[in-house]
Amino acid sequence: MLTDINSAQIQHWRKEELRRAVEAIKKVQGDADRAQKAAISKEAIQITKNILAANPSIPYLVTEMKAFAQNKVINDALKEVMNGPPALFISTDEDSGKILAMASVPKECVAKGLKADEWIKHLIPVLNGKGGGKAESAQVSGTNVKALKEALNKSEKFAQEKLSCGPVVLAPPLSTSVKPKDEIENN
């Protein structure tokens, strides 16, 4: 839009007026986007805390995080697990066609054989993505949003194999509600 305004054959003062109007709209949209991301991040952190509080002794945590495939949101949620079990969170955004998986593994679990980079790498073909990382943290981003359930299952089996444990059955957390993206945008 700014390109059209800049090349328009109109008076200079009118161009400046239109530029200011566009900048004001961009600021409002930017502020709303930042508020939406902050709300999603806060909710993801709370959900993670609630899952961990309801399941204090689980050997690993693999779950879907309704975070619209936003790196910062999932990373913030993973920070809540730093001193807990190894965790892998997967999030999709149907609108953008993006699926994101991020893993965090404590040093003691790396010593047992579960490495975040290996955990993530086995998802690359499933998610039609690319990624990598280190033994303690890694991520993959892909385009196969339909592979969410398969990715969750593969991730669980990988963790069970590496940690020599059975499947984890999570007790329901206190609150797992995440507002739909359009509801957040309308607030």
Side-chain angles (χ1 to χ4, degrees):
M1 191 179 241
L2 281 174
T3 305
D4 291 341
I5 292 170
N6 289 334
S7 63
Q9 296 295 323
I10 58 175
Q11 296 169 330
H12 179 71
W13 66 270
R14 183 143 340 240
K15 280 186 183 182
E16 285 301 315
E17 196 174 81
L18 290 171
R19 285 183 192 125
R20 280 193 293 274
V22 169
E23 290 300 323
I25 291 168
K26 283 173 57 179
K27 182 180 179 341
V28 168
Q29 287 177 332
D31 291 346
D33 186 48
R34 282 186 291 281
Q36 173 192 6
K37 288 179 180 175
I40 293 169
S41 182
K42 184 177 177 182
E43 185 72 22
I45 289 169
Q46 190 59 50
I47 288 170
T48 303
K49 286 179 179 179
N50 292 346
I51 289 172
L52 293 172
N55 302 279
S57 60
I58 53 175
Y60 66 88
L61 175 60
V62 173
T63 191
E64 175 186 8
M65 188 63 58
K66 297 191 187 291
F68 306 107
Q70 295 179 32
N71 289 31
K72 183 176 179 345
V73 173
I74 296 176
N75 191 46
D76 289 348
L78 278 174
K79 286 178 183 175
E80 295 301 316
V81 189
M82 285 292 191
N83 297 322
L88 187 141
F89 294 159
I90 303 176
S91 180
T92 61
D93 185 355
E94 295 279 337
D95 294 341
S96 68
K98 181 180 174 184
I99 186 166
L100 175 68
M102 295 179 78
S104 176
V105 179
K107 289 180 182 178
E108 57 272 7
C109 291
V110 170
K112 292 179 183 177
L114 179 61
K115 297 177 182 166
D117 55 342
E118 292 175 0
W119 205 2
I120 287 297
K121 283 179 185 172
H122 87 284
L123 293 176
I124 290 174
V126 174
L127 302 181
N128 188 30
K130 56 185 173 182
K134 302 176 194 170
E136 293 177 10
S137 67
Q139 70 179 32
V140 62
S141 179
T143 57
N144 188 3
V145 294
K146 303 290 184 213
L148 175 65
K149 289 198 185 302
E150 182 183 356
L152 289 167
N153 289 336
K154 283 188 83 150
S155 298
E156 289 227 11
K157 288 179 181 164
F158 188 88
Q160 291 167 18
E161 178 186 308
K162 294 294 182 177
L163 297 174
S164 301
C165 65
V168 170
V169 178
L170 295 175
L174 301 173
S175 169
T176 58
S177 65
V178 173
K179 292 181 180 180
K181 189 175 186 178
D182 58 344
E183 185 178 319
I184 292 170
E185 289 171 354
N186 294 331
N187 286 338

